[in-house]
């Protein structure tokens, strides 16, 4: 059996030509490949993705009201497609889309926002946002009804999936080990419904607003898949703006070059030239470096407000590796907690469970950050050294001038190879070694201006102007 590494998964896709198969003209493998790889990993190395919580009645009611709103009619130059994930601006109380809000204000545009965790965060301070809850209702209702009554259409979809992908699903078992046949058949059929309904809905919006360019935040959301396909059909260019840093093991940005697909955007815009050797999209997707305007704005603000403290160390936790990171942080605190201010910045998803899962951290000399009262940038501005695994915050900490220590957990050595091999950042998991690095000034400092591409807002605006 093979390990479900990204290299082995890509070789499997190439061997069986997975991305070239169409069912009812739908490239369903491409629409579902991230979930396919995650499913394999879930049953082999226990690395799965989280699932959404059930709907509350209040959430359903709010979504119903949003779904009743008529579709937009105003013609625009640019459509921005995003989810409802927003960050609260500490100074204003407004919930910002840190990727698209500011740039969308500079153009005749509409920001189409589908709900995140069943909701939209308000106030958002914007007057060009349209909530697309309607398509969520249509897709969920259609899938549930088709499943409950086993409709003729669902039977036809199921038969087509089994005929086109059944042997490939069986090959997954012989190649990687787990029997995922039934799970993937159901997932593929559901995804065909999602794509079909999203494409119809998004097509109606395009009919009305007639944009010259479509900007997507996450190309593998169902609405973005639909807009990319519609863009190619209608001659409208599409571009995805990365919603973070990518890593070599992250499935959505790793393809075989020949796997061109109509559901992928024309461009993939990234923050940093360091990403150009990490992201491997199909050959017909151009990768361009533009930078990150939000980071430029916030770095200047936080550096001016919070001076750096040579005795402050920031551990940046992740939901996936929090157990391991917290144990190392507790051990380091035992050794130097009296001399250094040790911050443990939790990921927001860890707030609800860290006291039960990381009890060894609670009685240590550690300043645990378990609220959103301050942005992580405050702690990066104050810290001399930042310690973490695979996270966008590693790159952000470098941008704030922090020294870097990487924890040698799971795939860190592979995913952060650029910093380790090219910049000499230490990758270690021994608390004594970490203390030695800190106390004896052996921590590596990467040039803070070498990561994020400068003049980001101008770069993005110039890209958009080329098409409108």
């Amino acid at each position: 059996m093979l390990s479900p590494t990204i290299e082995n998964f890509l070789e499997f896709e190439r061997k069986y030509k997975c991305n070239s198969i169409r069912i009812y003209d739908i490239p369903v493998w491409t629409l579902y490949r991230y979930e396919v790889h995650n499913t394999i990993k879930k049953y082999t190395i226990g690395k799965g993705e989280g699932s959404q919580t059930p709907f509350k009645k209040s959430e359903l009611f709010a979504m119903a009201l949003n779904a009743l709103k008529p579709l937009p009619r105003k013609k625009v130059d640019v459509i921005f497609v995003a989810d409802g994930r927003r960050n609260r601006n500490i100074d204003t109380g407004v919930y910002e889309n840190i990727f698209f809000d500011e740039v969308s204000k500079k153009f005749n545009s509409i920001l189409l926002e589908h709900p995140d965790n069943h909701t939209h965060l308000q106030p958002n301070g914007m007057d060009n946002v349209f909530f697309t809850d309607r398509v969520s209702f249509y897709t969920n209702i259609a899938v549930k009804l088709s499943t409950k009554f086993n409709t003729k259409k669902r039977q036809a979809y199921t038969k087509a999936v089994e005929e086109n992908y059944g042997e490939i699903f069986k090959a997954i078992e012989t190649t990687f080990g787990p029997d995922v046949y039934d799970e993937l058949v159901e997932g593929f059929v559901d995804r065909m419904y999602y794509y079909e309904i999203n494409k119809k809905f998004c097509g109606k919006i395009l009919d009305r607003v007639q944009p010259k360019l479509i900007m997507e935040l996450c190309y593998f959301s169902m609405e973005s898949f639909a807009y990319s396909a519609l863009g190619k059909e209608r001659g409208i260019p599409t571009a995805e703006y990365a919603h973070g840093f990518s890593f070599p093991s992250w499935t959505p940005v790793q393809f075989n070059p020949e796997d061109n697909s109509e559901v992928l955007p024309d461009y993939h815009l990234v923050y940093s030239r360091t990403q150009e050797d990490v992201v491997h999209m199909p050959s017909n997707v151009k990768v361009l470096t533009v930078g990150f305007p939000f980071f430029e704005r916030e770095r200047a603000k936080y550096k001016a407000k919070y001076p750096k403290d040579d005795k402050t160390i920031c551990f940046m936790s992740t939901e996936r590796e929090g157990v391991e990171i917290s144990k190392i942080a507790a051990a380091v605190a035992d050794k130097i907690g009296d001399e250094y201010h040790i911050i443990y910045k939790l990921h927001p998803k860890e707030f609800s469970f860290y006291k039960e899962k990381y009890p060894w951290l609670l009685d240590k000399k550690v300043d645990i950050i378990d609220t959103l009262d301050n942005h992580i940038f405050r702690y990066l501005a104050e810290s001399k050294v930042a310690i973490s695994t695979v996270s966008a915050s590693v790159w952000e900490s470098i941008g704030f001038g922090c020294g870097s220590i990487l924890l040698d957990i799971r795939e860190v050595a592979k995913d952060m190879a650029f910093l380790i091999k090219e910049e000499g950042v230490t990758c270690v998991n021994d608390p004594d070694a970490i203390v030695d690095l800190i106390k004896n000034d052996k921590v590596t400092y990467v040039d803070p201006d070498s990561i994020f591409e400068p003049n980001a807002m101008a770069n993005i605006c110039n890209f958009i102007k080329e098409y409108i």
Side-chain angles (χ1 to χ4, degrees):
M1 296 297 176
L2 296 179
S3 172
T5 63
I6 188 63
E7 293 83 5
N8 288 336
F9 183 72
L10 289 174
E11 185 55 37
F12 182 90
E13 287 189 310
R14 172 172 280 151
K15 178 179 179 180
Y16 293 97
K17 298 181 173 58
C18 300
N19 287 289
S20 65
I21 300 172
R22 302 289 187 275
I23 302 176
Y24 294 103
D25 204 31
I26 299 174
V28 63
W29 179 279
T30 309
L31 300 176
Y32 207 67
R33 65 187 296 272
Y34 187 23
E35 289 83 352
V36 172
H37 197 195
N38 281 334
T39 300
I40 297 170
K41 289 189 286 186
K42 178 176 66 175
Y43 292 114
T44 53
I45 59 176
K47 180 182 173 184
E49 299 292 320
S51 58
Q52 282 202 343
T53 57
F55 281 96
K56 298 177 183 177
K57 290 183 179 180
S58 59
E59 292 171 341
L60 286 171
F61 181 71
M63 288 184 71
L65 292 178
N66 290 328
L68 290 172
K69 294 179 181 178
L71 296 177
R73 289 187 175 276
K74 177 187 174 184
K75 291 184 179 180
V76 300
D77 292 324
V78 190
I79 279 181
F80 293 89
V81 184
D83 61 20
R85 189 172 302 176
R86 289 177 170 270
N87 287 46
R88 182 176 176 272
N89 186 305
I90 305 300
D91 298 323
T92 66
V94 169
Y95 289 93
E96 297 178 299
N97 180 312
I98 63 176
F99 308 99
F100 279 161
D101 275 2
E102 292 305 309
V103 67
S104 75
K105 293 176 183 177
K106 298 181 180 294
F107 298 94
N108 174 25
S109 69
I110 184 170
L111 198 163
L112 302 173
E113 182 179 291
H114 45 278
D116 181 61
N117 289 328
H118 314 154
T119 191
H120 302 271
L121 295 174
Q122 295 177 293
N124 60 32
M126 302 292 289
D127 59 7
N128 69 334
V129 176
F130 179 78
F131 296 157
T132 59
D133 299 55
R134 186 183 306 185
V135 71
S136 299
F137 274 103
Y138 286 167
T139 53
N140 280 285
I141 290 172
V143 167
K144 288 177 181 177
L145 290 177
S146 72
T147 303
K148 182 176 181 179
F149 297 106
N150 193 25
T151 60
K152 289 184 178 180
K153 182 175 181 179
R154 188 171 187 92
Q155 292 176 38
Y157 277 7
T158 300
K159 181 180 179 182
V161 169
E162 291 180 330
E163 289 176 347
N164 287 274
Y165 282 105
E167 293 305 312
I168 295 176
F169 294 163
K170 292 176 183 177
I172 289 176
E173 182 178 6
T174 59
T175 304
F176 298 108
D179 178 3
V180 294
Y181 186 98
D182 292 338
E183 188 171 342
L184 292 186
V185 168
E186 181 179 6
F188 271 50
V189 171
D190 287 352
R191 189 54 53 97
M192 291 172 70
Y193 274 94
Y194 293 153
Y195 177 72
E196 181 183 62
I197 296 170
N198 269 273
K199 193 176 179 188
K200 183 177 180 180
F201 171 83
C202 297
K204 289 181 179 179
I205 291 182
L206 289 181
D207 290 340
R208 294 180 178 227
V209 303
Q210 299 180 22
K212 300 172 184 174
L213 174 67
I214 300 170
M215 295 285 289
E216 304 163 3
L217 184 56
C218 176
Y219 87 79
F220 50 93
S221 74
M222 288 311 301
E223 286 185 43
S224 292
F225 274 136
Y227 278 116
S228 292
L230 288 163
K232 288 180 173 60
E233 291 175 8
R234 302 185 183 200
I236 306 170
T238 56
E240 179 204 19
Y241 184 52
H243 58 287
F245 276 82
S246 296
F247 305 100
S249 65
W250 196 46
T251 315
V253 295
Q254 304 301 333
F255 281 84
N256 291 306
E258 68 272 18
D259 285 333
N260 298 317
S261 174
E262 68 273 21
V263 297
L264 299 178
D266 300 315
Y267 298 93
H268 178 71
L269 310 180
V270 297
Y271 304 162
S272 169
R273 295 188 186 278
T274 64
Q275 293 281 278
E276 294 175 3
D277 292 329
V278 173
V279 173
H280 298 101
M281 299 295 284
S283 60
N284 67 340
V285 180
K286 297 179 182 178
V287 178
L288 302 177
T289 301
V290 295
F292 190 13
F294 175 79
F295 181 79
E296 287 187 4
R297 184 193 82 184
E298 295 300 288
R299 178 173 60 177
K301 180 176 72 176
Y302 279 93
K303 285 180 69 174
K305 192 172 182 180
Y306 300 102
K308 198 164 290 295
D309 178 2
D310 287 346
K311 293 293 184 178
T312 296
I313 303 164
C314 184
F315 280 87
M316 299 175 290
S317 191
T318 69
E319 184 184 15
R320 189 177 66 177
E321 294 106 3
V323 170
E324 296 97 327
I325 299 172
S326 60
K327 286 182 177 179
I328 294 172
V332 170
D334 274 339
K335 299 174 185 300
I336 58 173
D338 290 324
E339 184 180 354
Y340 289 83
H341 175 209
I342 299 176
I343 296 171
Y344 193 85
K345 175 65 179 69
L346 292 160
H347 188 280
K349 290 184 178 180
E350 296 176 290
F351 291 173
S352 63
F353 61 71
Y354 79 93
K355 291 181 180 178
E356 290 74 30
K357 289 195 175 182
Y358 316 153
W360 46 80
L361 198 63
L362 304 182
D363 60 350
K364 304 299 180 184
K365 294 177 181 178
V366 177
D367 185 5
I368 301 174
I369 308 301
D370 60 357
T371 73
L372 294 176
D373 292 343
N374 289 292
H375 197 282
I376 189 175
F377 290 168
R378 170 179 176 169
Y379 308 108
L380 298 183
E382 293 177 328
S383 297
K384 180 71 171 177
V385 177
I387 304 172
S388 189
T389 55
V390 178
S391 170
S393 58
V394 174
W395 303 98
E396 293 167 345
S397 70
I398 292 171
F400 270 94
C402 299
S404 299
I405 298 175
L406 292 170
L407 300 179
D408 192 9
I409 301 170
R410 303 190 193 187
E411 297 175 298
V412 172
K414 176 181 178 180
D415 282 339
M416 306 301 285
F418 171 81
L419 291 179
I420 297 168
K421 295 179 180 179
E422 303 297 326
E423 300 291 347
V425 172
T426 303
C427 185
V428 65
N429 62 4
D430 177 20
D432 288 323
I434 294 171
V435 171
D436 177 63
L437 290 169
I438 293 170
K439 298 195 73 171
N440 294 298
D441 295 324
K442 298 178 183 177
V443 177
T444 300
Y445 289 82
V446 180
D447 179 4
D449 295 322
S450 68
I451 302 299
F452 290 88
E453 187 74 5
N455 305 312
M457 182 60 79
N459 295 338
I460 294 175
C461 289
N462 288 337
F463 171 81
I464 292 173
K465 289 174 183 176
E466 288 184 21
Y467 295 96
I468 67 171

